[in-house]
Amino acid sequence: MARIAVIGAGMGAMAAAARLAVAGHRVVVYERTGTYGGALGRFERDGFSFDTGPGLLPLPAVWRDLFVKTGKEALEDRVELVQVDPSSRHVFADGTEVALPNASRAGVVEALDAALGPTAGRRWSDFLVRAREAWDRTRRPLLEEPLWPNWEVLAERDPYPSVPHKRLLRTRRAGTLAEVGAWELRDARLAALLGSHALAYGLDPRTAPANTAVLPYMEYAFGMWYVRGGGLRELARAVYERCLARRVEFRFGTEVTAVVEKDGRVAGVELAEGGLAEAEFVVAGVAPDVLDRLSGGSPVRGAGEVPPRRGGASRLTVHLALRGGRAEGTAHRTVVHSEDGDAELDCLFGATPGMTARPTVTVLRPDDPALVPDTDHEAVTLTAAVPAFGGESDWAATEVFALQAENLISAAERAIPGLRDRLLWREVRTPADIAAATGVADGAIPVPTLAAAGGRLLHAANSTRVAGLFTVGGWSHPGGGLPHAGMSGALVAGLVVEGPEFRGSQ
């Protein structure tokens, strides 16, 4: 039995802690804040409750596997996991609307044909076939195995099977997600639908590689899920309680100030309150720059490894308390697309990032009595991508975020007529709030790992140059997103238990 110190109580860190405890190790989690879950938080006021992080769960099989491997109770014994149907409703710039069924390709084809024209569904269905091929080619090396030492192989060739496209007397193939939309989908609304999946993760469709297609594929193949009875924060609670059941010890309000190593191997962690907590292994659920600081300022990644991936975008969230109940048949999620998509992307990802008056906004309207004081009220959450900001002067620009919050509400009125007349109050959460919850200085959101693009969308390996020191969570392999966090926990547990010869689940 080894002593293992885990830095941070985010979802990936807790996933690793539960698996390591089941393997017989003594695990202590040190969390600088007063609670667990990392970005998967909750805001409560006046009987209303809101998720402050992700509001929907793709690929729940990752978390089902965690519960199967760490105890007798299944995930569904601990939370009420339900599919949302429709998966999403989309309001496009030209006013066209479409509601897409959950995990039903035939249903999606029928809906797109009815809303966008008789060939739209077939073009989207053909795209999903190609996206599945990219998924099959990358699922194991990018999600289920530790990062390859020769990771350059993953960075060289895009696994998405682009369709040949004749342009200006030349045959070309799509190399970016935007080109997939323009050349293969050939409809501005379908292209906006495709691009919104990248934008949700803070990726620019114009530069994101074509195999970003795996992100919409995950949704349309495996469905989108919600935890009824309190939202996705309840998933964090269930994982935390599973850790406790496996005798993982949590020390909240305890900040780690240094990772201690001796003779090239970790020896424990130093705590802000004083003293050394000895450990044979340390699992760090923090951003790369934070881990480097804890390790004395020198990078802990080995020579030749993927450079640390930094996010370029964050998220602005506006929680709305509304009078009047949720109408029957209301979609759980509505994506209101920007009226000027090019201008939005220029503002988000241009040389001088800024805000846009016409953002793409995701409107979440859960059918969950646990979120409201009574049936005569509704809890709604609006989210949009914004640039990640760093530095004290940026956080002082509260008025900028307040103005952008107004833009989100104005966009949401296209999905909820009469929204402002129902508004009781709003709560705006900025990148500064994300920074406070996660410890990432600029509030950036980590993106899922993707192939090609020269490796810029790969994340650093879970192993480090220091023996016994591992990284977990969104800023290490396999990157950001709730499914990826759970996968990173499984990978780290395998590396600790089985050693460097571990090659992932079979």
PDB file of all heavy atoms in Angstrom, residues 411-444:
ATOM      1  N   ALA A 411     -29.755  38.033 -27.281  1.00  0.00           N
ATOM      2  CA  ALA A 411     -29.736  36.891 -28.195  1.00  0.00           C
ATOM      3  C   ALA A 411     -30.714  35.819 -27.738  1.00  0.00           C
ATOM      4  O   ALA A 411     -31.421  35.206 -28.550  1.00  0.00           O
ATOM      5  CB  ALA A 411     -28.323  36.324 -28.296  1.00  0.00           C
ATOM      6  N   ALA A 412     -30.787  35.593 -26.432  1.00  0.00           N
ATOM      7  CA  ALA A 412     -31.666  34.555 -25.897  1.00  0.00           C
ATOM      8  C   ALA A 412     -33.137  34.874 -26.115  1.00  0.00           C
ATOM      9  O   ALA A 412     -33.979  33.965 -26.138  1.00  0.00           O
ATOM     10  CB  ALA A 412     -31.392  34.352 -24.405  1.00  0.00           C
ATOM     11  N   GLU A 413     -33.462  36.153 -26.285  1.00  0.00           N
ATOM     12  CA  GLU A 413     -34.853  36.519 -26.548  1.00  0.00           C
ATOM     13  C   GLU A 413     -35.349  35.936 -27.868  1.00  0.00           C
ATOM     14  O   GLU A 413     -36.559  35.790 -28.062  1.00  0.00           O
ATOM     15  CB  GLU A 413     -34.991  38.048 -26.559  1.00  0.00           C
ATOM     16  CG  GLU A 413     -34.911  38.677 -25.180  1.00  0.00           C
ATOM     17  CD  GLU A 413     -35.144  40.175 -25.201  1.00  0.00           C
ATOM     18  OE1 GLU A 413     -34.309  40.891 -25.792  1.00  0.00           O
ATOM     19  OE2 GLU A 413     -36.176  40.605 -24.639  1.00  0.00           O
ATOM     20  N   ARG A 414     -34.431  35.596 -28.765  1.00  0.00           N
ATOM     21  CA  ARG A 414     -34.832  34.927 -30.009  1.00  0.00           C
ATOM     22  C   ARG A 414     -35.331  33.518 -29.737  1.00  0.00           C
ATOM     23  O   ARG A 414     -36.079  32.946 -30.542  1.00  0.00           O
ATOM     24  CB  ARG A 414     -33.661  34.888 -30.983  1.00  0.00           C
ATOM     25  CG  ARG A 414     -33.233  36.271 -31.480  1.00  0.00           C
ATOM     26  CD  ARG A 414     -31.883  36.218 -32.191  1.00  0.00           C
ATOM     27  NE  ARG A 414     -31.860  35.274 -33.295  1.00  0.00           N
ATOM     28  CZ  ARG A 414     -30.746  34.797 -33.850  1.00  0.00           C
ATOM     29  NH1 ARG A 414     -29.548  35.181 -33.379  1.00  0.00           N
ATOM     30  NH2 ARG A 414     -30.801  33.939 -34.854  1.00  0.00           N
ATOM     31  N   ALA A 415     -34.946  32.958 -28.594  1.00  0.00           N
ATOM     32  CA  ALA A 415     -35.383  31.613 -28.216  1.00  0.00           C
ATOM     33  C   ALA A 415     -36.490  31.645 -27.173  1.00  0.00           C
ATOM     34  O   ALA A 415     -37.299  30.708 -27.096  1.00  0.00           O
ATOM     35  CB  ALA A 415     -34.200  30.801 -27.674  1.00  0.00           C
ATOM     36  N   ILE A 416     -36.523  32.710 -26.354  1.00  0.00           N
ATOM     37  CA  ILE A 416     -37.519  32.824 -25.284  1.00  0.00           C
ATOM     38  C   ILE A 416     -38.215  34.170 -25.435  1.00  0.00           C
ATOM     39  O   ILE A 416     -37.795  35.171 -24.836  1.00  0.00           O
ATOM     40  CB  ILE A 416     -36.870  32.720 -23.884  1.00  0.00           C
ATOM     41  CG1 ILE A 416     -35.930  31.514 -23.787  1.00  0.00           C
ATOM     42  CG2 ILE A 416     -37.946  32.623 -22.806  1.00  0.00           C
ATOM     43  CD1 ILE A 416     -35.193  31.415 -22.464  1.00  0.00           C
ATOM     44  N   PRO A 417     -39.268  34.251 -26.219  1.00  0.00           N
ATOM     45  CA  PRO A 417     -39.983  35.527 -26.365  1.00  0.00           C
ATOM     46  C   PRO A 417     -40.489  36.031 -25.014  1.00  0.00           C
ATOM     47  O   PRO A 417     -40.953  35.250 -24.177  1.00  0.00           O
ATOM     48  CB  PRO A 417     -41.141  35.158 -27.301  1.00  0.00           C
ATOM     49  CG  PRO A 417     -40.673  33.953 -28.048  1.00  0.00           C
ATOM     50  CD  PRO A 417     -39.821  33.202 -27.081  1.00  0.00           C
ATOM     51  N   GLY A 418     -40.382  37.338 -24.788  1.00  0.00           N
ATOM     52  CA  GLY A 418     -40.835  37.912 -23.529  1.00  0.00           C
ATOM     53  C   GLY A 418     -39.916  37.641 -22.363  1.00  0.00           C
ATOM     54  O   GLY A 418     -40.319  37.804 -21.201  1.00  0.00           O
ATOM     55  N   LEU A 419     -38.684  37.272 -22.651  1.00  0.00           N
ATOM     56  CA  LEU A 419     -37.744  36.906 -21.598  1.00  0.00           C
ATOM     57  C   LEU A 419     -37.562  38.020 -20.575  1.00  0.00           C
ATOM     58  O   LEU A 419     -37.637  37.787 -19.359  1.00  0.00           O
ATOM     59  CB  LEU A 419     -36.398  36.532 -22.221  1.00  0.00           C
ATOM     60  CG  LEU A 419     -35.203  36.348 -21.274  1.00  0.00           C
ATOM     61  CD1 LEU A 419     -35.472  35.219 -20.290  1.00  0.00           C
ATOM     62  CD2 LEU A 419     -33.935  36.077 -22.068  1.00  0.00           C
ATOM     63  N   ARG A 420     -37.332  39.234 -21.022  1.00  0.00           N
ATOM     64  CA  ARG A 420     -37.038  40.328 -20.081  1.00  0.00           C
ATOM     65  C   ARG A 420     -38.239  40.637 -19.179  1.00  0.00           C
ATOM     66  O   ARG A 420     -38.056  41.059 -18.039  1.00  0.00           O
ATOM     67  CB  ARG A 420     -36.594  41.569 -20.847  1.00  0.00           C
ATOM     68  CG  ARG A 420     -35.221  41.431 -21.510  1.00  0.00           C
ATOM     69  CD  ARG A 420     -34.766  42.730 -22.141  1.00  0.00           C
ATOM     70  NE  ARG A 420     -33.533  42.566 -22.899  1.00  0.00           N
ATOM     71  CZ  ARG A 420     -32.307  42.654 -22.376  1.00  0.00           C
ATOM     72  NH1 ARG A 420     -32.174  42.920 -21.076  1.00  0.00           N
ATOM     73  NH2 ARG A 420     -31.237  42.496 -23.135  1.00  0.00           N
ATOM     74  N   ASP A 421     -39.449  40.424 -19.673  1.00  0.00           N
ATOM     75  CA  ASP A 421     -40.626  40.680 -18.845  1.00  0.00           C
ATOM     76  C   ASP A 421     -40.751  39.667 -17.708  1.00  0.00           C
ATOM     77  O   ASP A 421     -41.404  39.960 -16.699  1.00  0.00           O
ATOM     78  CB  ASP A 421     -41.899  40.624 -19.709  1.00  0.00           C
ATOM     79  CG  ASP A 421     -41.956  41.759 -20.728  1.00  0.00           C
ATOM     80  OD1 ASP A 421     -41.319  42.799 -20.477  1.00  0.00           O
ATOM     81  OD2 ASP A 421     -42.610  41.579 -21.774  1.00  0.00           O
ATOM     82  N   ARG A 422     -40.131  38.514 -17.859  1.00  0.00           N
ATOM     83  CA  ARG A 422     -40.199  37.471 -16.829  1.00  0.00           C
ATOM     84  C   ARG A 422     -39.021  37.520 -15.856  1.00  0.00           C
ATOM     85  O   ARG A 422     -39.018  36.792 -14.865  1.00  0.00           O
ATOM     86  CB  ARG A 422     -40.219  36.090 -17.493  1.00  0.00           C
ATOM     87  CG  ARG A 422     -41.401  35.829 -18.401  1.00  0.00           C
ATOM     88  CD  ARG A 422     -41.254  34.473 -19.085  1.00  0.00           C
ATOM     89  NE  ARG A 422     -41.103  33.404 -18.113  1.00  0.00           N
ATOM     90  CZ  ARG A 422     -40.665  32.168 -18.406  1.00  0.00           C
ATOM     91  NH1 ARG A 422     -40.308  31.879 -19.651  1.00  0.00           N
ATOM     92  NH2 ARG A 422     -40.562  31.248 -17.480  1.00  0.00           N
ATOM     93  N   LEU A 423     -38.053  38.364 -16.120  1.00  0.00           N
ATOM     94  CA  LEU A 423     -36.796  38.328 -15.379  1.00  0.00           C
ATOM     95  C   LEU A 423     -36.948  38.892 -13.966  1.00  0.00           C
ATOM     96  O   LEU A 423     -37.369  40.035 -13.773  1.00  0.00           O
ATOM     97  CB  LEU A 423     -35.732  39.117 -16.146  1.00  0.00           C
ATOM     98  CG  LEU A 423     -34.321  39.137 -15.575  1.00  0.00           C
ATOM     99  CD1 LEU A 423     -33.763  37.731 -15.465  1.00  0.00           C
ATOM    100  CD2 LEU A 423     -33.413  40.006 -16.453  1.00  0.00           C
ATOM    101  N   LEU A 424     -36.593  38.077 -12.975  1.00  0.00           N
ATOM    102  CA  LEU A 424     -36.547  38.510 -11.578  1.00  0.00           C
ATOM    103  C   LEU A 424     -35.171  39.062 -11.230  1.00  0.00           C
ATOM    104  O   LEU A 424     -35.049  40.133 -10.646  1.00  0.00           O
ATOM    105  CB  LEU A 424     -36.890  37.337 -10.646  1.00  0.00           C
ATOM    106  CG  LEU A 424     -38.329  36.818 -10.691  1.00  0.00           C
ATOM    107  CD1 LEU A 424     -38.443  35.527  -9.878  1.00  0.00           C
ATOM    108  CD2 LEU A 424     -39.294  37.869 -10.160  1.00  0.00           C
ATOM    109  N   TRP A 425     -34.134  38.306 -11.540  1.00  0.00           N
ATOM    110  CA  TRP A 425     -32.760  38.749 -11.315  1.00  0.00           C
ATOM    111  C   TRP A 425     -31.819  37.904 -12.164  1.00  0.00           C
ATOM    112  O   TRP A 425     -32.203  36.873 -12.704  1.00  0.00           O
ATOM    113  CB  TRP A 425     -32.364  38.682  -9.835  1.00  0.00           C
ATOM    114  CG  TRP A 425     -32.625  37.394  -9.110  1.00  0.00           C
ATOM    115  CD1 TRP A 425     -33.681  37.119  -8.284  1.00  0.00           C
ATOM    116  CD2 TRP A 425     -31.805  36.197  -9.117  1.00  0.00           C
ATOM    117  NE1 TRP A 425     -33.579  35.837  -7.784  1.00  0.00           N
ATOM    118  CE2 TRP A 425     -32.431  35.262  -8.269  1.00  0.00           C
ATOM    119  CE3 TRP A 425     -30.620  35.837  -9.743  1.00  0.00           C
ATOM    120  CZ2 TRP A 425     -31.922  33.988  -8.047  1.00  0.00           C
ATOM    121  CZ3 TRP A 425     -30.089  34.563  -9.524  1.00  0.00           C
ATOM    122  CH2 TRP A 425     -30.745  33.671  -8.680  1.00  0.00           C
ATOM    123  N   ARG A 426     -30.589  38.375 -12.275  1.00  0.00           N
ATOM    124  CA  ARG A 426     -29.556  37.665 -13.031  1.00  0.00           C
ATOM    125  C   ARG A 426     -28.296  37.572 -12.181  1.00  0.00           C
ATOM    126  O   ARG A 426     -28.055  38.395 -11.308  1.00  0.00           O
ATOM    127  CB  ARG A 426     -29.247  38.396 -14.335  1.00  0.00           C
ATOM    128  CG  ARG A 426     -28.423  39.660 -14.148  1.00  0.00           C
ATOM    129  CD  ARG A 426     -28.373  40.525 -15.386  1.00  0.00           C
ATOM    130  NE  ARG A 426     -29.660  41.147 -15.657  1.00  0.00           N
ATOM    131  CZ  ARG A 426     -29.871  41.995 -16.651  1.00  0.00           C
ATOM    132  NH1 ARG A 426     -28.888  42.295 -17.486  1.00  0.00           N
ATOM    133  NH2 ARG A 426     -31.041  42.537 -16.831  1.00  0.00           N
ATOM    134  N   GLU A 427     -27.502  36.578 -12.462  1.00  0.00           N
ATOM    135  CA  GLU A 427     -26.187  36.418 -11.842  1.00  0.00           C
ATOM    136  C   GLU A 427     -25.187  36.178 -12.958  1.00  0.00           C
ATOM    137  O   GLU A 427     -25.326  35.215 -13.747  1.00  0.00           O
ATOM    138  CB  GLU A 427     -26.178  35.238 -10.872  1.00  0.00           C
ATOM    139  CG  GLU A 427     -24.813  34.885 -10.301  1.00  0.00           C
ATOM    140  CD  GLU A 427     -24.280  35.883  -9.281  1.00  0.00           C
ATOM    141  OE1 GLU A 427     -25.097  36.714  -8.796  1.00  0.00           O
ATOM    142  OE2 GLU A 427     -23.079  35.827  -8.962  1.00  0.00           O
ATOM    143  N   VAL A 428     -24.184  37.045 -13.069  1.00  0.00           N
ATOM    144  CA  VAL A 428     -23.189  36.953 -14.134  1.00  0.00           C
ATOM    145  C   VAL A 428     -21.914  36.335 -13.581  1.00  0.00           C
ATOM    146  O   VAL A 428     -21.388  36.781 -12.551  1.00  0.00           O
ATOM    147  CB  VAL A 428     -22.895  38.347 -14.729  1.00  0.00           C
ATOM    148  CG1 VAL A 428     -21.830  38.247 -15.826  1.00  0.00           C
ATOM    149  CG2 VAL A 428     -24.170  38.976 -15.278  1.00  0.00           C
ATOM    150  N   ARG A 429     -21.434  35.311 -14.252  1.00  0.00           N
ATOM    151  CA  ARG A 429     -20.191  34.652 -13.852  1.00  0.00           C
ATOM    152  C   ARG A 429     -19.192  34.779 -15.002  1.00  0.00           C
ATOM    153  O   ARG A 429     -19.469  34.372 -16.131  1.00  0.00           O
ATOM    154  CB  ARG A 429     -20.433  33.178 -13.489  1.00  0.00           C
ATOM    155  CG  ARG A 429     -21.439  33.021 -12.353  1.00  0.00           C
ATOM    156  CD  ARG A 429     -21.574  31.588 -11.897  1.00  0.00           C
ATOM    157  NE  ARG A 429     -20.366  31.123 -11.231  1.00  0.00           N
ATOM    158  CZ  ARG A 429     -20.067  31.357  -9.965  1.00  0.00           C
ATOM    159  NH1 ARG A 429     -20.882  32.080  -9.212  1.00  0.00           N
ATOM    160  NH2 ARG A 429     -18.964  30.875  -9.432  1.00  0.00           N
ATOM    161  N   THR A 430     -18.036  35.355 -14.688  1.00  0.00           N
ATOM    162  CA  THR A 430     -17.034  35.731 -15.682  1.00  0.00           C
ATOM    163  C   THR A 430     -15.844  34.765 -15.642  1.00  0.00           C
ATOM    164  O   THR A 430     -15.789  33.867 -14.794  1.00  0.00           O
ATOM    165  CB  THR A 430     -16.539  37.149 -15.395  1.00  0.00           C
ATOM    166  OG1 THR A 430     -15.720  37.123 -14.218  1.00  0.00           O
ATOM    167  CG2 THR A 430     -17.705  38.113 -15.182  1.00  0.00           C
ATOM    168  N   PRO A 431     -14.868  34.949 -16.552  1.00  0.00           N
ATOM    169  CA  PRO A 431     -13.642  34.150 -16.460  1.00  0.00           C
ATOM    170  C   PRO A 431     -12.953  34.263 -15.100  1.00  0.00           C
ATOM    171  O   PRO A 431     -12.265  33.327 -14.689  1.00  0.00           O
ATOM    172  CB  PRO A 431     -12.780  34.736 -17.576  1.00  0.00           C
ATOM    173  CG  PRO A 431     -13.767  35.200 -18.600  1.00  0.00           C
ATOM    174  CD  PRO A 431     -14.915  35.744 -17.803  1.00  0.00           C
ATOM    175  N   ALA A 432     -13.137  35.374 -14.400  1.00  0.00           N
ATOM    176  CA  ALA A 432     -12.541  35.503 -13.069  1.00  0.00           C
ATOM    177  C   ALA A 432     -13.118  34.479 -12.108  1.00  0.00           C
ATOM    178  O   ALA A 432     -12.417  33.938 -11.245  1.00  0.00           O
ATOM    179  CB  ALA A 432     -12.756  36.918 -12.530  1.00  0.00           C
ATOM    180  N   ASP A 433     -14.414  34.197 -12.228  1.00  0.00           N
ATOM    181  CA  ASP A 433     -15.039  33.187 -11.375  1.00  0.00           C
ATOM    182  C   ASP A 433     -14.519  31.796 -11.719  1.00  0.00           C
ATOM    183  O   ASP A 433     -14.331  30.958 -10.827  1.00  0.00           O
ATOM    184  CB  ASP A 433     -16.557  33.244 -11.535  1.00  0.00           C
ATOM    185  CG  ASP A 433     -17.138  34.569 -11.073  1.00  0.00           C
ATOM    186  OD1 ASP A 433     -16.955  34.911  -9.891  1.00  0.00           O
ATOM    187  OD2 ASP A 433     -17.743  35.269 -11.906  1.00  0.00           O
ATOM    188  N   ILE A 434     -14.296  31.545 -13.013  1.00  0.00           N
ATOM    189  CA  ILE A 434     -13.710  30.265 -13.410  1.00  0.00           C
ATOM    190  C   ILE A 434     -12.300  30.132 -12.847  1.00  0.00           C
ATOM    191  O   ILE A 434     -11.900  29.072 -12.353  1.00  0.00           O
ATOM    192  CB  ILE A 434     -13.710  30.133 -14.943  1.00  0.00           C
ATOM    193  CG1 ILE A 434     -15.144  30.099 -15.470  1.00  0.00           C
ATOM    194  CG2 ILE A 434     -12.950  28.887 -15.382  1.00  0.00           C
ATOM    195  CD1 ILE A 434     -15.248  30.094 -16.979  1.00  0.00           C
ATOM    196  N   ALA A 435     -11.540  31.225 -12.901  1.00  0.00           N
ATOM    197  CA  ALA A 435     -10.180  31.209 -12.359  1.00  0.00           C
ATOM    198  C   ALA A 435     -10.199  30.903 -10.863  1.00  0.00           C
ATOM    199  O   ALA A 435      -9.374  30.129 -10.362  1.00  0.00           O
ATOM    200  CB  ALA A 435      -9.499  32.555 -12.615  1.00  0.00           C
ATOM    201  N   ALA A 436     -11.146  31.495 -10.141  1.00  0.00           N
ATOM    202  CA  ALA A 436     -11.225  31.263  -8.699  1.00  0.00           C
ATOM    203  C   ALA A 436     -11.575  29.813  -8.384  1.00  0.00           C
ATOM    204  O   ALA A 436     -11.072  29.230  -7.410  1.00  0.00           O
ATOM    205  CB  ALA A 436     -12.259  32.201  -8.079  1.00  0.00           C
ATOM    206  N   ALA A 437     -12.436  29.213  -9.203  1.00  0.00           N
ATOM    207  CA  ALA A 437     -12.869  27.840  -8.948  1.00  0.00           C
ATOM    208  C   ALA A 437     -11.827  26.812  -9.346  1.00  0.00           C
ATOM    209  O   ALA A 437     -11.687  25.770  -8.695  1.00  0.00           O
ATOM    210  CB  ALA A 437     -14.180  27.559  -9.695  1.00  0.00           C
ATOM    211  N   THR A 438     -11.055  27.091 -10.417  1.00  0.00           N
ATOM    212  CA  THR A 438     -10.154  26.087 -10.978  1.00  0.00           C
ATOM    213  C   THR A 438      -8.684  26.361 -10.722  1.00  0.00           C
ATOM    214  O   THR A 438      -7.858  25.454 -10.885  1.00  0.00           O
ATOM    215  CB  THR A 438     -10.368  25.977 -12.499  1.00  0.00           C
ATOM    216  OG1 THR A 438      -9.996  27.219 -13.118  1.00  0.00           O
ATOM    217  CG2 THR A 438     -11.833  25.684 -12.817  1.00  0.00           C
ATOM    218  N   GLY A 439      -8.336  27.603 -10.367  1.00  0.00           N
ATOM    219  CA  GLY A 439      -6.932  27.943 -10.174  1.00  0.00           C
ATOM    220  C   GLY A 439      -6.207  28.298 -11.448  1.00  0.00           C
ATOM    221  O   GLY A 439      -5.005  28.614 -11.407  1.00  0.00           O
ATOM    222  N   VAL A 440      -6.890  28.265 -12.607  1.00  0.00           N
ATOM    223  CA  VAL A 440      -6.278  28.656 -13.878  1.00  0.00           C
ATOM    224  C   VAL A 440      -6.337  30.173 -13.973  1.00  0.00           C
ATOM    225  O   VAL A 440      -7.413  30.764 -14.007  1.00  0.00           O
ATOM    226  CB  VAL A 440      -6.998  28.006 -15.067  1.00  0.00           C
ATOM    227  CG1 VAL A 440      -6.372  28.445 -16.383  1.00  0.00           C
ATOM    228  CG2 VAL A 440      -6.957  26.482 -14.938  1.00  0.00           C
ATOM    229  N   ALA A 441      -5.177  30.826 -14.029  1.00  0.00           N
ATOM    230  CA  ALA A 441      -5.086  32.268 -13.813  1.00  0.00           C
ATOM    231  C   ALA A 441      -5.981  33.077 -14.737  1.00  0.00           C
ATOM    232  O   ALA A 441      -6.587  34.057 -14.326  1.00  0.00           O
ATOM    233  CB  ALA A 441      -3.635  32.713 -13.953  1.00  0.00           C
ATOM    234  N   ASP A 442      -6.074  32.698 -16.022  1.00  0.00           N
ATOM    235  CA  ASP A 442      -6.834  33.511 -16.966  1.00  0.00           C
ATOM    236  C   ASP A 442      -8.253  33.002 -17.187  1.00  0.00           C
ATOM    237  O   ASP A 442      -8.983  33.529 -18.021  1.00  0.00           O
ATOM    238  CB  ASP A 442      -6.111  33.610 -18.310  1.00  0.00           C
ATOM    239  CG  ASP A 442      -5.791  32.246 -18.918  1.00  0.00           C
ATOM    240  OD1 ASP A 442      -6.213  31.229 -18.338  1.00  0.00           O
ATOM    241  OD2 ASP A 442      -5.118  32.208 -19.965  1.00  0.00           O
ATOM    242  N   GLY A 443      -8.648  31.977 -16.435  1.00  0.00           N
ATOM    243  CA  GLY A 443      -9.995  31.455 -16.586  1.00  0.00           C
ATOM    244  C   GLY A 443     -10.225  30.686 -17.868  1.00  0.00           C
ATOM    245  O   GLY A 443     -11.369  30.462 -18.270  1.00  0.00           O
ATOM    246  N   ALA A 444      -9.156  30.256 -18.536  1.00  0.00           N
ATOM    247  CA  ALA A 444      -9.288  29.528 -19.801  1.00  0.00           C
ATOM    248  C   ALA A 444      -9.937  28.166 -19.576  1.00  0.00           C
ATOM    249  O   ALA A 444      -9.817  27.560 -18.509  1.00  0.00           O
ATOM    250  CB  ALA A 444      -7.932  29.361 -20.469  1.00  0.00           C
TER     251      ALA A 444
END
